């Protein structure tokens, strides 16, 4: 379980498996490019997780 004080609400909401439009809206609302940067980083980790284990 993600602790809300460690991550933004947008990141914590991912555990609820929201649809792609909700994910885009939540991360876009973070402001500037920080939300998009975070989302891209998460996607990169998931795509390359098999290399890390």
């Amino acid at each position: 379980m993600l602790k809300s004080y460690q991550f933004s609400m947008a990141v914590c909401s991912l555990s609820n498996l929201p649809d792609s439009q909700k994910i885009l809206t939540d991360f876009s609302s973070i402001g500037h490019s920080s939300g998009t940067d975070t989302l891209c980083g998460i996607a990169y980790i998931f795509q390359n997780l098999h290399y890390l284990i």
Side-chain angles (χ1 to χ4, degrees):
M1 170 115 181
L2 298 176
K3 296 178 182 176
S4 61
Y5 59 86
Q6 290 178 317
F7 302 99
S8 70
M9 292 305 295
V11 172
C12 291
S13 74
L14 292 174
S15 63
N16 296 327
L17 303 174
D19 63 61
S20 59
Q21 187 59 46
K22 175 79 170 128
I23 292 171
L24 180 60
T25 301
D26 288 350
F27 278 85
S28 294
S29 71
I30 290 174
H32 300 287
S33 64
S34 298
T36 305
D37 292 346
T38 299
L39 187 55
C40 288
I42 291 168
Y44 179 84
I45 290 294
F46 280 121
Q47 289 175 344
N48 295 286
L49 191 59
H50 61 280
Y51 292 119
L52 301 173
I53 319 181

